Amino acid sequence: YQNPDLTLETRVSETGAISFPLLGSVRIGGLAVSAAEKLIADGLKNGSFVKSPQVTLILLQVKGNQASVLGQVNRPGRFPIETTDMRLTDLLANAGGVATSGGDVVVLTGTRDGKPYRLEVDLPTVFGPSADAGRANDVIVQNGDVLWVDRAPLVYIYGEVQRPGPMRLERGMTVMQALAAGGGLNQRGTERGIRVHRKAADGKVQVVQPGMDDSLKDGDVLIYNVGALGGNHLNDVKV
């Protein structure tokens, strides 16, 4: 009060101390606000710095407990747990939500009752129409938790299509849907030339000839080859 040079905004360290002008290090951790105000006022008075100090302390934010968000989010980093009932979706919202490159499944890791804790959460089930079971996975976040958002699954289109390249694998996406997303076949391609290169569990790549309604998997490479009558071969056909 009436001493602007003694006004400051500071953070209580992990040891419970702050650095206050004229007094140096003052340990206020564990004290009530009123007790901390009196401690600082007594220090200023006993040191003959201020004759009749009036100290007001305002708690701006609680940052004692923190959780981290990593991976494909818009603002990765560490975030304070400001309420005792902060949930996984609240933490994800603080990180700006899942980025466009992120997937639907997130992983929360930490410690519960002294034991390692890991939970995979399928976000659409949390917000879907039948979300009772999904809401149970919207757990309360605790100090030290880490939320990981992996990239979205991808498939790769190569060959005689209009727009070759990687694309996001949507749930239940079929070969026909992937072909449509790639702009369809060009003049050289036919459905008979479709092959899928898929990595098996042992790491070996398998080549399969899928049906148009077959579902794709993460990492699949779709190759659309030249058809039997594609390209310049049309010049050899007699009508």
Side-chain angles (χ1 to χ4, degrees), residues 13 29 34 37 39 69 72 100 104 106-107 187 230 237:
S13 70
S34 58
E37 291 173 343
L39 178 64
V69 184
Q72 305 300 315
T100 55
D104 293 334
V106 301
V107 178
Q187 293 181 351
V237 177

Side-chain angles (χ1 to χ4, degrees), residues 4-184:
D5 293 341
L6 298 181
T7 299
L8 81 159
E9 180 176 325
T10 186
R11 178 181 180 274
V12 181
S13 70
E14 294 181 356
T15 61
I18 63 170
S19 180
F20 194 85
L22 303 178
L23 300 182
S25 179
V26 180
R27 189 177 299 275
I28 65 172
L31 298 179
V33 171
S34 58
E37 291 173 343
K38 184 176 185 303
L39 178 64
I40 295 172
D42 290 344
L44 293 173
K45 183 177 181 179
N46 295 336
S48 300
F49 299 118
V50 181
K51 290 184 178 180
S52 181
Q54 299 179 36
V55 177
T56 300
L57 190 151
I58 300 174
L59 182 62
L60 298 179
Q61 194 174 40
V62 177
K63 290 188 176 181
N65 294 331
Q66 293 184 328
S68 301
V69 184
L70 303 175
Q72 305 300 315
V73 292
N74 291 304
R75 293 193 303 272
R78 299 182 66 187
F79 299 91
I81 302 176
E82 299 177 348
T83 60
T84 57
D85 59 348
M86 183 176 183
R87 296 188 176 272
L88 180 149
T89 51
D90 298 323
L91 179 62
L92 185 60
N94 287 344
V98 178
T100 55
S101 57
D104 293 334
V105 178
V106 301
V107 178
L108 183 71
T109 59
T111 303
R112 300 291 187 274
D113 299 325
K115 299 179 180 178
Y117 175 80
R118 186 180 187 276
L119 175 68
E120 288 191 9
V121 178
D122 189 4
L123 289 178
T125 64
V126 176
F127 302 101
S130 301
D132 291 340
R135 291 192 187 97
N137 288 330
D138 192 12
V139 296
I140 294 177
V141 177
Q142 295 188 13
N143 183 40
D145 281 354
V146 178
L147 182 64
W148 167 256
V149 181
D150 203 352
R151 68 163 179 83
L154 298 175
V155 293
Y156 304 85
I157 298 182
Y158 175 79
E160 304 301 331
V161 292
Q162 301 292 341
R163 295 191 298 272
M167 71 170 56
R168 182 187 179 105
L169 176 63
E170 303 294 344
R171 295 193 176 202
M173 177 178 276
T174 64
V175 173
M176 180 180 295
Q177 291 171 333
L179 175 60

